[in-house]
Amino acid sequence: MERKELLELLNGLSTAEKIGQLVQLSGDFFDESMDVTETGPSEKIGLAEEYNLYNTGSILNVLQADKIYQLQKNYLEKSRHKIPLMFMSDIIYGFNTIFPIPIAQTCSWDFELIEQSAAISAEEAYYAGQQVTFSPMVDLVKDPRWGRVMESPGEDPYIGSMFSKSVVEGLQGKQANKIEERKLAACVKHYAAYGAAESGRDYNGVDMSLSKFYNQYLPAYKAAVDAKVKLVMTAFNTLNDVPCTGNEWLNKQVLREELDFEGVLITDYAAIEELIAHGYASSPSDAARIALDAEVDIDMKTAVYANHLEKLIEENVLSIEQLDQAVLRVLELKNDLGLFENPYRGLVDESVPTAEDDHREVALELAEKSLVLLKNNGILPLKKDKKIALVGPYGDNANTLGMWAINGDPSRTITLKTGMEQVFSESYLSFAEGAPLIENIERLGFSSNITAGKVKLPEYDKGALLEAALKNAREADYIVVAFGEHVLESGEAGSKTDLRISEAQSDLITQLAELNKPMIGVIYSGRPNNITHLIDKFDALVYAWYPGSMGGLAVANILSGRSNPSGKLTMSFPRNEGQIPVYYYNYRTGRPIKSDNENSRFTSRYIDESNYPLFPFGYGLSYSDFRYHTISASSKEIKEKEKLEIRVKISNESNVQGDEVVQLYIQDKVASISRPSKELKASKRITIAPHSTEEVIFKLCIDDFSFFDNKGTSVLETGEFIIFVGSNAEETPLSLEISYIAS
Ligand code: NOJ
């Protein structure tokens, strides 16, 4: 449709019909027998009797093609203007083929591969009739107590922005205006700063300076907007005491004006109504007024817009222009999706073209690149002629897809046992569970019907489990222990204060360690856990996160050396919960710890623990041995229009080909506000053949050296910068200084 026709359509709608376009409901409102996918509180929402369902604009989380077809058909038959429904859902890291969880994906530092995985998710979901996905989630997070770490890109603004852009471009196509076939419209979330929830408790308030907001939290949302993301989702939290969903400064000034976002702003689940619980709105009607004033277009899963907007407009509290502006954005999105031409987009009659094997190959590659080798005393890769006992509740567990794989099918998931049987056919010996994964599931409070919630706890006898595992382990040369957190211990509302692995699993590990056999740990989790007390018990440790459909094979390939580990952490691992938040880019204080005496008093330190994380950002081991040699810059000065080239030489001193993720950080030595100790500005993943050397060239531009001050203004100041290059945030053996002189 041309814009002129869209405007005509808009003008032909009654106020009630317009409002309907802003209402999002779940499928059961149209068909009570529908088994809907619940991703939030499921109380009925109290729609007024006079609300006409057949004015509704969009539907949430119906995943099956046949149901979407029926809903659309029925709707088009009954609605006056026949404006197609729009179907939206949470396709966060895969639809049929499940990729590793986002925090794991970013550990690959392979943004092209991440983009490819998002394109596959879009394609698979498209053929199930999906049109919009609530992805990417790009909330920067420094606190692993927060359960949504699993779906975040981690602690760094550069990584968050690269991830954000890659996912939007994978889902929508590059800089797409129209959303083509096999693509989805993307929705970046949760705007803004949702990952900074105080105390790591989900939905909790957020307080931060403007410089932190602009320098650290905003860039990843901005990267999505720059990549032409079609929707933005408001966050549940308050930001500096104002709930994001009703925050005019955030939504109008920053999002619409400064970032120049023209698309649809949708709330998170029931977030308009929650303005009342925040104590920010006095009634549902007041909440409707506040949200529309803040240019929120779609009301997800409440009756607030449906029941109250019309009266507010009649009484001139809100204007019809405000309503029209929101409705037009929704109609434009439907138009960009081609729904007016084809309301059954993606629902093809002929059999769906499937490239599932190819998709699973990409999932395998991404899983292998996402795994992080945290420790290796030389035991890995495992020798082929030895006998391996696989032990632990994740040894043969397919529920390793993470909370947000809402269409994921555990029966299509390769467990570690299956992967190891395939890879270690001669030396694989036995499997025993050893300990329960979790003993009390009630506390998780999860009643939803999404995939992760359907799993029942098996019956077990703890003593018998342990005995069987010890027996197997005694007969083996190597013990591989697969353990971690239950998938529902992370994800939405999965905040925790104790980040250690459960007692039953820790006991199992202690008893196995007493056998004094080489022991390798594989940890499955949605967050960095506190593993300080366990690390010495292992000869090698692999962090598997939740690795997706092909996870078991990926881990087996790494253990066997078929694949060389290359993942690098995108979030620091705390030594204990008391250190949180611990992250790489802020160790500058007026009283830094002294490098020659960490124990001196009156410095910024803990008297019972190191300041530094157990494993820093950027860390991850390889079977290769990389050395950093030389660094040079194309100029001693940063110039306005010229790119600064930084060249570094890195060699592989081993007999094994491997991938290294080379990281470039800067430090602004002196500025008008105190700047971080190090900031990641570029990275390159390179393959280096055995005993050879490669040169990596980084190109930095002037913007890499500017920052936002405490008024939210971007500034570039005369001064000196240090450039560091290395293999993680703490190990940067190469450095040089450059300067900028403002003209
Ligand atoms: C609530 C979550 O916060 C959000 O990420 C998700 O997209 C919506 N529910 C819809 O399921």
Side-chain angles (χ1 to χ4, degrees):
M1 248 191 223
E2 296 298 321
R3 192 175 160 82
K4 197 171 138 270
E5 291 169 88
L6 274 187
L7 288 170
E8 277 166 18
L9 176 62
L10 173 69
N11 292 334
L13 302 181
S14 67
T15 305
E17 285 166 339
K18 287 177 182 172
I19 292 167
Q21 288 302 313
L22 310 186
V23 177
Q24 178 161 102
L25 301 174
S26 45
D28 54 332
F29 281 80
F30 294 84
D31 173 359
E32 282 203 4
S33 66
M34 192 169 275
D35 176 21
V36 292
T37 301
E38 286 293 354
T39 56
S42 57
E43 303 91 56
K44 280 288 173 198
I45 62 172
L47 278 171
E49 268 187 22
E50 55 275 20
Y51 177 75
N52 179 355
L53 270 186
Y54 296 92
N55 289 339
T56 301
S58 56
I59 299 283
L60 164 75
N61 278 340
V62 177
L63 299 179
Q64 304 79 359
D66 54 341
K67 289 184 186 160
I68 290 184
Y69 180 83
Q70 268 316 320
L71 281 170
Q72 189 73 289
K73 186 161 172 290
N74 175 41
Y75 180 89
L76 291 175
E77 279 163 14
K78 300 202 174 124
S79 84
R80 187 164 81 108
H81 291 276
K82 315 217 172 303
I83 301 172
L85 280 169
M86 186 158 47
F87 291 88
M88 307 195 184
S89 58
D90 288 290
I91 298 140
I92 311 295
Y93 46 92
F95 191 70
N96 299 323
T97 308
I98 304 300
F99 297 94
I101 56 173
I103 183 77
Q105 290 190 21
T106 55
C107 291
S108 75
W109 300 53
D110 187 336
F111 299 101
E112 277 173 30
L113 194 59
I114 291 173
E115 182 185 324
Q116 206 184 339
S117 76
I120 290 172
S121 304
E123 179 177 331
E124 290 183 352
Y126 167 85
Y127 286 114
Q130 308 300 318
Q131 298 154 1
V132 176
T133 170
F134 302 125
S135 172
M137 186 283 212
V138 300
D139 303 317
L140 186 135
V141 52
K142 303 172 190 173
D143 192 332
R145 291 174 299 180
W146 195 54
R148 302 197 80 167
V149 161
M150 53 89 55
E151 51 178 314
S152 87
E155 75 189 34
D156 181 70
Y158 168 83
I159 295 285
S161 302
M162 294 295 287
F163 175 77
S164 183
K165 176 177 188 288
S166 314
V167 176
V168 172
E169 293 187 345
L171 293 169
Q172 295 193 163
K174 283 195 199 301
Q175 295 284 319
N177 185 23
K178 296 272 175 225
I179 305 295
E180 305 293 339
E181 282 183 12
R182 296 191 295 279
K183 295 285 176 196
L184 303 181
C187 174
V188 69
K189 67 188 186 186
H190 306 82
Y191 181 73
Y194 177 45
E198 202 169 84
S199 324
R201 183 156 48 77
D202 211 353
Y203 317 129
N204 208 5
V206 171
D207 261 296
M208 68 175 61
S209 65
L210 272 191
S211 66
K212 285 210 169 46
F213 176 71
Y214 275 93
N215 289 315
Q216 299 172 9
Y217 289 82
L218 193 62
Y221 309 108
K222 179 178 184 307
V225 174
D226 290 345
K228 297 266 174 281
V229 73
K230 290 287 177 191
L231 299 92
V232 173
M233 183 187 288
T234 66
F236 287 125
N237 53 285
T238 57
L239 176 60
N240 298 334
D241 300 333
V242 181
C244 295
T245 304
N247 192 324
E248 287 197 35
W249 169 77
L250 192 61
N251 298 337
K252 287 169 76 172
Q253 184 181 319
V254 182
L255 183 66
R256 300 285 187 198
E257 285 170 32
E258 294 173 21
L259 302 193
D260 205 14
F261 175 64
E262 292 174 351
V264 170
L265 182 60
I266 184 169
T267 70
D268 201 346
Y269 202 106
I272 294 191
E273 193 151 31
E274 290 175 14
L275 293 175
I276 303 170
H278 276 294
Y280 192 69
S282 55
S283 63
S285 161
D286 198 28
R289 173 191 63 78
I290 292 170
L292 199 70
D293 269 341
E295 291 200 19
V296 170
D297 302 319
I298 297 183
D299 175 0
M300 183 195 290
K301 211 57 205 296
T302 84
V304 169
Y305 272 7
N307 293 357
H308 302 284
L309 281 186
E310 189 155 9
K311 190 147 180 273
L312 289 165
I313 290 166
E314 270 165 27
E315 290 170 354
N316 287 324
V317 177
L318 293 168
S319 71
I320 193 77
E321 287 74 28
Q322 283 177 285
L323 178 65
D324 283 356
Q325 170 178 265
V327 177
L328 187 59
R329 287 191 192 118
V330 173
L331 295 179
E332 274 168 348
L333 177 58
K334 292 187 175 184
N335 195 33
D336 290 343
L337 283 161
L339 290 179
F340 292 107
E341 288 76 26
N342 180 11
Y344 301 102
R345 185 179 187 275
L347 300 171
V348 285
D349 288 338
E350 64 273 19
S351 67
V352 171
T354 156
E356 210 189 318
D357 288 348
D358 296 347
H359 296 178
R360 287 170 74 85
E361 276 303 308
V362 177
L364 177 63
E365 187 183 347
L366 189 48
E368 287 175 357
K369 289 180 168 172
S370 301
L371 301 174
V372 185
L373 179 62
L374 294 177
K375 175 177 179 180
N376 185 16
N377 66 6
I379 194 79
L380 292 182
L382 295 178
K383 294 199 183 63
K384 285 278 152 77
D385 52 352
K386 305 272 184 177
K387 296 289 174 207
I388 305 170
L390 173 63
V391 175
Y394 270 117
D396 193 23
N397 191 337
N399 197 9
T400 51
L401 301 179
M403 176 182 159
W404 280 110
I406 62 174
N407 193 53
D409 179 358
S411 74
R412 304 274 300 123
T413 302
I414 302 192
T415 69
L416 181 52
K417 177 170 179 282
T418 314
M420 288 193 55
E421 282 166 353
Q422 217 171 304
V423 173
F424 293 94
S425 44
E426 322 90 68
S427 49
Y428 173 79
L429 180 67
S430 58
F431 163 67
E433 208 175 315
L437 179 55
I438 187 164
E439 292 182 73
N440 176 1
I441 208 156
E442 267 90 69
R443 180 82 182 135
L444 304 181
F446 210 92
S447 58
S448 164
N449 62 353
I450 69 173
T451 305
K454 282 182 192 155
V455 180
K456 294 260 173 308
L457 282 191
E459 298 280 314
Y460 58 83
D461 167 344
K462 252 201 228 159
L465 285 184
L466 180 64
E467 267 321 304
L470 290 173
K471 180 173 172 294
N472 287 357
R474 279 188 206 106
E475 289 162 13
D477 300 309
Y478 295 139
I479 309 168
V480 172
V481 196
F483 63 103
E485 284 192 350
H486 188 279
V487 284
L488 293 179
E489 288 181 82
S490 56
E492 186 173 346
S495 297
K496 287 181 91 178
T497 60
D498 183 350
L499 302 186
R500 289 169 304 174
I501 303 297
S502 73
E503 223 177 286
Q505 294 182 85
S506 299
D507 286 351
L508 168 70
I509 291 164
T510 305
Q511 302 242 16
L512 289 168
E514 279 168 13
L515 300 178
N516 284 323
K517 300 208 171 185
M519 191 156 90
I520 299 95
V522 181
I523 304 186
Y524 289 78
S525 180
R527 58 160 58 83
N529 283 105
N530 171 356
I531 52 171
T532 306
H533 55 300
L534 294 178
I535 189 121
D536 288 344
K537 302 195 191 299
F538 291 100
D539 295 280
L541 204 50
V542 175
Y543 221 74
W545 305 104
Y546 293 123
S549 303
M550 301 298 284
L553 188 55
V555 176
N557 283 345
I558 294 282
L559 296 181
S560 70
R562 277 193 189 185
S563 176
N564 188 351
S566 56
K568 302 258 196 171
L569 298 176
T570 48
M571 203 167 165
S572 309
F573 270 49
R575 287 170 193 272
N576 64 39
E577 293 77 358
Q579 273 190 325
I580 295 171
V582 57
Y583 54 97
Y584 80 90
Y585 44 91
N586 236 350
Y587 300 125
R588 292 179 95 172
T589 83
R591 294 189 175 185
I593 37 172
K594 301 203 163 89
S595 50
D596 57 341
N597 180 9
E598 285 205 4
N599 288 336
S600 79
R601 195 80 184 201
F602 307 116
T603 58
S604 176
R605 68 181 182 103
Y606 300 106
I607 53 177
D608 62 346
E609 188 50 278
S610 154
N611 280 10
Y612 294 99
L614 184 63
F615 298 110
F617 175 88
Y619 175 88
L621 302 172
S622 162
Y623 298 149
S624 307
D625 178 11
F626 300 114
R627 303 280 164 88
Y628 283 70
H629 297 283
T630 55
I631 183 166
S632 62
S634 56
S635 161
K636 285 210 149 298
E637 255 179 57
I638 305 157
K639 311 234 171 68
E640 298 284 339
K641 289 195 181 91
E642 261 172 50
K643 293 230 164 166
L644 179 75
E645 273 189 14
I646 304 292
R647 291 169 181 261
V648 294
K649 287 213 169 119
I650 300 145
S651 66
N652 176 355
E653 308 284 306
S654 73
N655 293 325
V656 199
Q657 173 168 303
D659 279 12
E660 168 70 332
V661 177
V662 186
Q663 301 158 38
L664 183 148
Y665 300 84
I666 68 163
Q667 185 194 98
D668 187 346
K669 286 174 74 177
V670 180
S672 55
I673 57 173
S674 183
R675 304 284 298 127
S677 52
K678 274 182 187 161
E679 293 173 272
L680 181 71
K681 288 291 170 182
S683 68
K684 274 225 167 102
R685 196 187 162 97
I686 47 159
T687 303
I688 314 186
H691 303 290
S692 50
T693 301
E694 292 287 335
E695 184 176 58
V696 174
I697 306 175
F698 292 105
K699 291 186 179 162
L700 300 176
C701 64
I702 192 97
D703 290 346
D704 289 321
F705 300 91
S706 65
F707 63 88
F708 288 90
D709 66 14
N710 243 327
K711 297 192 184 78
T713 308
S714 174
V715 291
L716 182 60
E717 296 176 346
T718 292
E720 276 151 18
F721 296 85
I722 312 177
I723 295 194
F724 304 93
V725 177
S727 60
N728 65 62
E730 282 178 12
E731 280 171 79
T732 48
L734 304 179
S735 65
L736 53 76
E737 288 201 18
I738 46 154
S739 56
Y740 173 72
I741 302 164
S743 48

